[in-house]
């Protein structure tokens, strides 16, 4: 029922039925205004439930919004703002909210107490996955995801400020105003759509005006301050190290992302998060129509909605009286005020029951009456709304995010934050246990002024006049007597469950929580935690402080994966690195594959080729018989310069680089300090103090870090600097018998075999551009790598490919590159997988004993040089038509394929068009001693079981004459 | 008392009055035959198997907080046997077999759910590495199936097959992999141990280890000294501090690993799924929450809480892999303290002090290891000899380099495993 | 988490790569023997409290930094260039 003329309205639907709402109000308010109290079903017993609160802590009124891919489950109807055309659906009910088949669970509740599932469903074993679990899973859960990716846009952003004020109630507004006027760079964040906190929900005056008018004035002043940023609809969700806060903004602008997740870095913060009201445990305290008293006032005062026609109020503190007064003033019938305290003096023109309690309630899908026991006897009162107030719990949540524990205050029967629980965070107002407006205003202002002064500003405190009155409460947790009394409404935990937990010696508050699931629902126990541990404390004869609390952890309100993961969807997950030849390569219809962050061509198909193998075999032929061109720019390139550059390289490579002559290249091996191989590559000496080294594509970043580590941390005495130049140079392999011929078509000065022998390097001119030429080979052929500044890369690639085609060659991709290197027994990260040593790879000779290098000491550990280690060998398929496969395991010829007989595994395999057979590289126990042996290769997963001959890993041109020739 | 469906009905009819405590709360005795330091999953399982397999019942588990308050109470509940290096292979294979009989054995429903685990791969190289792993699993007698892209699609149609930054090439499917209700595992072992006479002593922090002439004689605790000739340290992330009481320095660095759970949802993810191009793994609990995690925060920490960068990375990975869960809301995140070793594999061994044993270094894979770790550590403590399934978990393997089990291939940097 | 880079000022943790305990600065001599190398590579004090560890400003200036901080509270006390700490 609406208490005032709503003016402009919007229409949304609830379970398909049109409902009128007022812009700005939450769906829950609109439903109440239209007499709809049943808004959801509970998690376990599928009890009918209505709205209980007026904020993000709502346990009952969770709904699903939208349909199709936009379907958004578990939305709090208390936070969701109405809008035209909004589609709202109830959830966790079938076939309908009114008639929910699983309400049968409520009848079975005597058998479904805390932890019942730990005691049964064990027989027979296979029934868990086949029967019990599917049934339980279907019954459990709240809302439903659509199963489709939503098209909604989400965003993340950073913000920085001097002072983050969390919450814009009386304390927060005064904090922001005081600090803002002092010149402090302030962010004021509040989760509500309108700032003002409880001042928007109460009937009281501030500075001689209605509170809401005072709020409007203050907001106007704040908006006028350029150093203050107001962030409404923004919930600060977590407090992290060094003043970093997470915050979720529900963006309310057309065309904007629906949510933005903020990372706010603040020098200081002040928590003004207010307090949350808590219920009282009495029988059947969960019926629709039973609400928290402060929420009832909010619906009446802020949104002009009467939650009932005949309201009763039940409380143990003065706030209950305020509720009755406000409602009566609004013209709502108060059917009774029940104050649990026997000694309270009240005069009112509605029935007042002191020393009273609610002992029963009735009404199937909504409250119809309550039974009150009081000093004068027992009475049944007809009522459709019961407002309960068990007292207020300060919102200490954020102060616990760094493992701080709140402390108990007997006088207010509540936990308050421990000071300095979050470095840099102060606490003010209701969340600090101050429950009167004047005190909140004062504390907010004073705390902010102190922070401002700390930060070097001059701050003044000017306080408005406001209501000041003591908060009096007599703790009341559970009404004695039979019946189910809900504590955690969302997870359907009653006092009986807590009692059973204690009975079974789950007496630690953490055990109780985990056994009963209290506090584990989406509301994370915001309204139930203190009540639950008070009940547990009573049951176990301990005090509340001794019983302790569970830990509040981030986020303060649930945060969508899409919001915190914004940007990750699709291609956004990782950057994309493209070679300069990318466009030319894509234009040649080459399938691109990911190589780390890079994209590289798999192969370059020609008309008429139907399989990748056809293309690959042809491209291998280019290199073996004519000339092939391959973009190898993805390999890491590191420039090393300085008088001690050579010494630094001697330290990071196992072999000596200081003896390398100018204009020469040497293959190098790098170890990790633990003695295992990290990477391999080449070092080219371009000048006395100038080297450029290459790394594999995969290890480029790691090697750069390693080089910096070696130079800054281990050998700061060496005068050498390293710089990654991977992106600065485009580099192309030109391989094959006609490589030199091809190069001479693009080089300004002709080269010859004599000037450019194997492993030579130097500067060349290409169409007037200064480039570098390295005579190195990853194919076993006469080969060069030619490098130009990246801006000339595409042009050179096109030119090289065009010239190669005239010479009977062309470009080759990763597949052919892989075949070429396997035929030559050359290594990639399939072999350098982090568990192999130079010894395993047959490269022990490359570890110079004449000098110290990283990894040398650890590489000599006995376990790393054991001959029985799995060591590199070649494998040649011996059975006609049977392939070798990477990932297969190796066994003695007649051994069973079981772990005990495992002799090794295949790392790389290919069909070699050059040798017309399947080849593999493998690690095999005692491998080098077993050349010639025929062994069994088993790949269970691919169904391959075949024999292979162990051989030297260099299958083709073992003498290496082709590369030199 | 035994648990059964009949018991549920009987107690339901009679007001649940008959359920007995899961365990007693005994006062610590002055002397035990053996003491387990740490009442987490591994410690409780050790006590259970000491009693059950070796008849040692005059023993105590000393727990600084409450039973199960460590990583057993804060993990992503994945149970699997998909290792490929000798040492790990036989151990996890054994562990999975123990899981499969755990509920009948303990008369406690830990909700072990063999719903299948799918590790996705995103390149040919990753595929070959997973093939090596899968073949090792089959050699060991466990199960593994190689799925191609369509095979993955038939199980996990909701993945982003069209736009993901790293396309899904296929997956390694381990049908016997799955999940369990983590707290229940602690409670089940605790109840089983208590029923066999083991004293579970909560709120009892060990403050010193008494050693005379190289032989352990007992421990000092916040509840007084307790004598014992055998003491086992099973304290996960706190192993360094407890071992230091015995003068040991361990090859362990403690790191924080975060985990996340969403609000309850109707069934949407039926398997355990892991992403191969960023650390992300997910399953859905029986209650309906999506339970997922990622990598370490990467800095040494004892804070049991993490920071935003890793949270965001994990959610970004979720969004690139399965954007349909974008509208699921995370309601809680937390951190556990992981005892990271230099090869990512654990330690179950004797120590230089006679009578002092240690079980640690579970990195972030300790949950699935609980039964086999307890089984093997009980065997070691009772007999002085390593159990065959855990014989390679030697403390000195780092010094000698013999039998390193570096499944990730990332070397001796603790946080990279 | 935010860390003060001696070159660049306070930066978000995500710009940094973490490697481990600053014991890495004290590399043993090649012939120091297996125990010294074992301690260097593997064994750690692993304190629950103040520690010095090594971070690399990978997303920034490329400096290796010794960070003095607390592993329980995550408070960062001070930072300095590893190059200066080492030399």
């Amino acid at each position: 029922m609406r208490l005032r003329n709503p003016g402009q309205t919007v229409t949304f639907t609830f379970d398909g039925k049109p409902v009128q709402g007022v812009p700005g109000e939450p769906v829950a308010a609109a439903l109440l205004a239209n007499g709809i109290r049943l808004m959801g079903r509970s998690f376990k017993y599928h009890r009918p439930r209505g709205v209980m609160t007026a904020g993000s802590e709502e346990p009952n009124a969770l709904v699903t919004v939208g349909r199709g891919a936009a379907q958004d489950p578990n939305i709090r109807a208390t936070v969701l703002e109405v809008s035209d055309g909004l589609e709202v659906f109830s959830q966790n009910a079938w076939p309908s909210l009114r008639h929910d088949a699983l309400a049968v669970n409520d009848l079975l509740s005597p058998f479904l107490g805390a932890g019942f599932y730990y005691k049964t469903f064990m027989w027979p074993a296979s029934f868990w996955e086949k029967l019990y679990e599917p049934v339980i899973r279907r019954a459990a859960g709240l809302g439903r995801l659509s199963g489709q990716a939503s098209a909604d846009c989400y965003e993340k952003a950073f913000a920085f400020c001097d002072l983050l004020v969390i919450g814009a109630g009386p304390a927060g507004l005064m904090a922001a105003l005081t600090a803002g006027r002092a010149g402090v760079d302030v962010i004021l964040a509040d989760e509500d759509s309108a700032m003002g906190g409880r001042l928007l929900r109460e009937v009281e005056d501030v500075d001689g005006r209605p509170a809401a008018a005072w709020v409007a004035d203050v907001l106007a002043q704040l908006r006028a301050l350029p150093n203050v940023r107001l962030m409404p609809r923004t919930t600060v969700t977590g407090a992290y190290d060094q003043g970093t806060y997470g915050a979720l903004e529900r963006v309310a602008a057309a065309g904007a992302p629906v949510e933005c997740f903020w990372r706010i870095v603040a020098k200081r913060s002040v928590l003004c998060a207010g307090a949350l009201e808590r219920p009282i445990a009495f029988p059947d305290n969960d019926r629709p129509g039973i609400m928290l008293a402060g929420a009832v006032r909010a619906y009446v005062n802020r949104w002009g909605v009467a939650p009932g026609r005949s309201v009763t109020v039940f409380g143990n503190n003065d706030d209950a009286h305020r509720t009755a007064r406000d409602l009566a003033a609004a013209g709502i019938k108060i059917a009774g005020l029940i104050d649990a305290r026997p000694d309270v003096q009240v005069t009112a023109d509605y029935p007042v029951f002191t020393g009273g309690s609610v002992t029963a309630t009735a009404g199937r899908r909504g409250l119809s009456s309550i039974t009150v026991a009081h000093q004068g006897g027992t009475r049944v009162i007809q009522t459709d709304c019961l407002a309960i107030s068990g007292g207020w719990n300060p919102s200490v949540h954020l102060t616990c995010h760094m493992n701080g524990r709140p402390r108990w205050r007997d006088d207010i029967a509540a936990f308050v934050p421990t000071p300095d629980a979050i470095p840099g965070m102060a606490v003010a107002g209701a969340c600090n246990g101050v429950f009167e407006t004047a005190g909140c205003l004062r504390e907010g202002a004073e705390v902010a002024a102190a922070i401002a002064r700390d930060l070097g500003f001059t701050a003044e405190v000017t306080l408005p006049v406001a209501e000041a009155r003591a908060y009096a409460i007599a703790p009341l947790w559970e009404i004695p007597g039979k019946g189910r009394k809900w504590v955690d409404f969302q997870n359907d935990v009653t006092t009986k469950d807590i009692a059973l937990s204690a009975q079974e010696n789950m007496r630690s508050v953490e055990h109780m929580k985990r056994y009963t699931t209290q506090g584990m629902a989406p509301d994370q126990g915001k309204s139930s935690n203190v009540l639950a541990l008070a009940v547990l404390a009573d049951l176990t004869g301990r005090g509340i402080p001794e019983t302790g609390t569970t830990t509040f952890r981030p986020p303060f309100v649930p945060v969508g994966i899409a919001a915190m993961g914004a940007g990750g969807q699709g291609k956004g997950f990782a950057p994309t690195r493209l070679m300069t030849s990318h466009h030319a390569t894509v234009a040649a219809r080459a399938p691109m594959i990911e190589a780390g962050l890079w994209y590289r061509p798999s192969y370059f198909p020609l008309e008429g080729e139907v399989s990748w193998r056809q293309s690959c075999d042809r491209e291998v032929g280019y290199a073996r018989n004519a000339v092939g061109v391959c973009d190898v720019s993805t390999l890491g390139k590191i420039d090393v310069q300085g008088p001690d550059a050579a010494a630094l390289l001697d330290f990071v490579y196992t072999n000596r680089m200081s003896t390398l002559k100018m204009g020469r290249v040497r293959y190098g091996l790098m170890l990790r300090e633990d003695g295992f191989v990290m990477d391999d590559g080449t070092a080219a000496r371009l000048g006395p103090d100038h080297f450029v080294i290459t790394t594999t594509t995969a290890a480029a970043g790691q090697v750069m870090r390693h080089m910096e580590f070696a130079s800054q941390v281990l050998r700061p005495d060496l005068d050498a600097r390293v710089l990654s130049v991977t992106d600065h140079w485009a580099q192309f392999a030109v391989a094959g018998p006609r490589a030199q011929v091809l190069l001479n078509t693009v080089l300004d000065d002709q080269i010859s075999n004599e000037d450019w022998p194997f492993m030579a390097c130097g500067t060349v001119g290409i169409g007037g551009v200064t480039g570098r030429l390295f005579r190195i080979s990853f194919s076993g052929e006469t080969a060069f790598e030619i490098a130009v500044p990246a801006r000339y890369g595409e042009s050179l690639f096109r030119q090289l490919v065009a010239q190669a085609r005239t010479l009977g060659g062309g470009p080759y991709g990763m597949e052919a590159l892989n075949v070429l290197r396997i035929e030559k027994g050359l290594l990639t990260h399939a072999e350098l997988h982090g568990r192999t040593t130079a010894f395993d790879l047959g490269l022990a000779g490359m570890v110079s004993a004449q000098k110290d290098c990283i990894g040398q000491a650890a590489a000599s550990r006995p376990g790393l040089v054991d001959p029985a280690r799995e060591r590199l060998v070649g494998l040649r398929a011996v059975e006609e038509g049977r392939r070798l496969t990477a990932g297969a395991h190796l066994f003695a010829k007649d051994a069973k394929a079981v772990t005990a007989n495992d002799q090794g595994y295949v790392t790389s395999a290919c069909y070699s068009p050059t040798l017309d057979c399947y080849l593999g590289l493998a690690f095999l126990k005692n491998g080098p001693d077993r050349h010639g042996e025929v062994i069994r290769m088993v790949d269970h997963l691919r169904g391959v079981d075949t024999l292979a001959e162990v051989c030297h890993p260099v299958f083709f041109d073992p003498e290496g004459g082709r590369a030199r020739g | 008392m035994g648990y059964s469906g009949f018991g549920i009905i009987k107690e339901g009819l009679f007001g649940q009055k008959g359920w007995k405590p899961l365990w007693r709360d005994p006062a610590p005795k002055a002397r035990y035959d053996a003491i387990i330091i740490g009442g987490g999953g591994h410690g409780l399982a050790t006590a259970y198997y000491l009693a059950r397999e070796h008849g040692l019942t005059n023993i105590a588990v000393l727990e600084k907080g409450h039973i199960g308050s460590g990583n057993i109470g804060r993990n992503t509940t994945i149970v699997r046997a998909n290792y490929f290096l000798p040492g790990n292979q036989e151990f996890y294979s054994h562990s999975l077999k123990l899981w499969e009989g755990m509920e009948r054995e303990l008369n406690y429903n830990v909700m072990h759910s063999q719903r299948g685990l799918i590790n996705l791969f995103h390149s040919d190289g990753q595929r070959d590495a997973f093939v090596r792993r899968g073949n090792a699993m089959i050699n060991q007698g466990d199960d593994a199936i190689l799925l191609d892209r369509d095979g993955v699609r038939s199980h996990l149609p909701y993945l982003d097959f069209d736009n993901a930054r790293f396309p899904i090439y296929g997956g390694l499917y381990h049908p016997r992999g799955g999940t369990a209700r983590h707290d229940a595992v602690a409670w089940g072992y605790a109840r089983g141990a208590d029923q066999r006479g083991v004293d579970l002593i909560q709120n009892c922090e060990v403050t010193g280890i008494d050693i005379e002439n190289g032989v352990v004689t007992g421990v000092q605790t916040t509840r007084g000294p307790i004598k014992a000739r055998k003491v086992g340290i099973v304290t996960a992330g706190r192993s360094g501090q407890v071992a230091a009481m015995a003068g040991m320095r361990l090859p362990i660095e403690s790191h924080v690993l975060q985990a996340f759970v969403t609000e309850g949802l109707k069934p949407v993810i039926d398997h355990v799924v892991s992403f191969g191009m960023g650390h992300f793994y997910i399953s859905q609990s029986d209650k309906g929450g999506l339970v997922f995690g990622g990598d370490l925060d990467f800095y040494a920490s004892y804070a049991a809480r993490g920071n935003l960068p890793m949270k965001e990375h994990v959610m970004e990975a979720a969004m690139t892999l399965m954007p349909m869960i974008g509208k699921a809301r995370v309601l809680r995140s937390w951190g556990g303290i992981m005892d990271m070793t230099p090869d990512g594999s654990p330690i179950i061994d004797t120590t230089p002090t006679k009578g002092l044993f240690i079980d640690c270094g579970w990195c972030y894979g300790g949950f699935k290891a609980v039964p086999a770790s307890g089984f093997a550590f009980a065997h070691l403590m009772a007999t002085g000899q390593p159990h065959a399934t855990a014989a390679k978990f030697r403390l000195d393997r780092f010094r000698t380099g013999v039998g390193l089990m570096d499944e990730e291939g990332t070397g001796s940097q603790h946080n990279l495993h | 988490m935010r860390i003060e880079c001696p070159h660049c000022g306070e930066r978000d943790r995500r710009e940094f790569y973490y490697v481990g305990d600053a014991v890495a600065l004290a590399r043993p001599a090649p012939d120091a023997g297996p125990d010294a190398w074992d301690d260097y590579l593997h064994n750690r004090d692993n304190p629950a409290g103040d520690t010095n560890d090594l971070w690399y400003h990978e997303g920034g200036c490329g400096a290796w930094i010794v960070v003095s901080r607390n592993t329980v509270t995550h408070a960062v006390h001070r930072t300095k260039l590893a190059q200066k700490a080492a030399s």
Side-chain angles (χ1 to χ4, degrees), chain A residues 206-335:
Chain A
V206 178
D207 235 10
R209 285 162 286 173
W214 181 83
V215 168
D217 283 355
V218 171
L219 289 174
Q221 292 178 56
L222 290 172
R223 278 191 205 100
L225 290 169
N227 53 317
V228 175
R229 176 172 185 175
L230 302 182
M231 296 180 70
R233 295 189 177 87
T234 303
T235 310
V236 175
T237 57
Y240 303 97
D241 291 310
Q242 279 82 37
T244 306
Y245 298 85
L248 182 70
E249 180 184 5
R250 307 186 314 280
V251 185
V258 292
E259 286 180 336
C260 178
F261 185 76
W262 289 90
R263 289 70 59 92
I264 301 175
V265 180
K267 288 180 186 148
R268 305 289 284 273
S269 70
V270 52
L271 182 70
C272 306
L276 298 176
E277 204 165 17
R278 63 192 181 216
I280 298 167
F282 55 86
D284 292 324
N285 56 346
D286 68 329
R287 296 188 195 279
I290 302 180
M291 301 166 64
L292 292 171
V296 170
R297 289 209 299 281
Y299 288 110
V300 171
N301 295 334
R302 181 169 170 191
W303 292 298
V305 168
R309 292 172 187 280
S310 173
V311 178
T312 39
V313 182
F314 174 33
N316 61 339
N317 64 83
D318 296 349
D319 236 36
H321 300 264
R322 180 176 202 139
T323 308
R325 248 193 347 262
D326 281 7
L327 266 61
I332 300 166
K333 180 188 168 193
I334 300 297

Side-chain angles (χ1 to χ4, degrees), chain A residues 699-715:
Chain A
Q702 184 189 7
V703 171
M704 182 62 199
R705 192 159 62 222
H706 180 73
M707 297 281 289
E708 289 279 29
F709 182 82
S711 97
Q712 294 178 38
V713 180
L714 299 181
R715 297 300 304 273

Side-chain angles (χ1 to χ4, degrees), chain B residues 272-329:
Chain B
V272 182
V273 183
S274 83
F275 179 37
M277 285 305 290
H279 233 94
F280 170 72
Y281 39 89
I282 188 166
S283 66
Q284 186 171 19
S285 79
D286 289 339
K287 265 186 75 189
L290 304 179
V291 179
F292 60 100
D295 216 330
L296 300 174
D297 263 29
F298 285 126
Y299 45 81
S301 171
Y302 285 88
R305 62 183 177 81
N307 274 290
L308 284 172
M310 188 49 68
K311 291 181 204 283
E312 293 175 30
H313 175 81
V314 169
M315 314 269 172
E316 286 163 11
M319 289 307 292
T320 194
L321 189 65
M322 45 177 80
M324 68 103 183
I325 66 168
K327 296 230 181 246
R329 288 175 175 76

Side-chain angles (χ1 to χ4, degrees), chain B residues 18-38:
Chain B
W19 298 118
K20 295 284 184 293
L22 273 88
W23 49 77
R24 303 158 293 130
D25 270 323
K29 291 193 264 184
R31 179 184 296 275
Y32 289 96
D33 292 338
I35 283 173
I36 313 292
I37 306 174

Side-chain angles (χ1 to χ4, degrees), chain B residues 18 72 79 119 158 180 189 221 232 276-277 303-304 340 355 363 368 393 414:
Chain B
I72 187 90
V79 176
N119 296 118
Y158 49 78
Y189 274 116
T221 79
M277 285 305 290
M340 304 300 298
C363 300
K368 62 187 168 293
F393 295 163
H414 299 71

Side-chain angles (χ1 to χ4, degrees), chain A residues 681-878:
Chain A
T682 60
R685 191 165 203 167
L686 301 176
D689 301 338
H690 186 192
F691 292 78
V692 62
I693 67 168
T694 64
T695 76
T696 57
T697 302
Q702 184 189 7
V703 171
M704 182 62 199
R705 192 159 62 222
H706 180 73
M707 297 281 289
E708 289 279 29
F709 182 82
S711 97
Q712 294 178 38
V713 180
L714 299 181
R715 297 300 304 273
D717 56 307
L718 297 180
D719 187 1
R721 293 291 177 272
V722 294
L723 182 72
S724 169
V725 294
T726 303
D727 295 297
H728 306 50
W729 294 89
Q731 193 154 319
F732 305 98
V734 178
R738 312 196 70 180
Q740 193 183 307
V741 178
L742 169 57
L743 282 173
N744 278 333
T745 67
V746 300
L747 293 176
D748 296 345
D749 298 308
Q750 300 291 293
I751 59 168
S752 69
N753 209 28
E754 289 68 43
D755 307 336
W756 290 85
F758 186 53
M759 299 306 256
C761 70
T763 301
V764 290
I766 308 124
V769 172
T770 303
R772 292 170 180 170
L773 189 64
F774 310 87
R775 183 159 173 197
I776 52 180
S777 176
F778 198 59
S779 57
E781 296 300 328
T782 298
F784 297 83
E785 289 187 11
I786 183 165
V788 287
R791 61 186 177 281
Y792 303 110
E794 179 169 4
S795 163
L796 179 58
F797 179 76
R798 287 180 190 278
Q799 209 175 338
L800 290 171
V801 168
Q803 293 295 342
R805 293 210 190 280
T806 67
L807 297 168
Y812 63 97
M814 300 301 293
E815 295 294 349
L817 182 143
N818 197 41
V819 172
L820 290 165
R821 69 98 190 170
I822 292 174
E823 288 175 344
K824 284 295 294 178
L826 297 165
L827 308 175
T828 69
H829 277 273
E831 287 76 36
L832 311 180
H833 54 49
R835 288 173 296 268
T836 48
T837 64
F839 175 76
D840 300 340
L841 297 164
L843 301 174
M846 281 186 68
V847 185
S848 165
Q850 310 305 313
K851 64 175 184 71
D852 182 20
C853 76
I854 289 178
Q856 188 190 45
S860 65
R861 285 181 287 171
L864 273 65
V865 292
D866 182 350
R869 285 182 65 88
E870 292 162 342
R871 293 153 70 192
L872 184 70
V873 294
L875 291 182
R876 198 189 288 267
V878 296

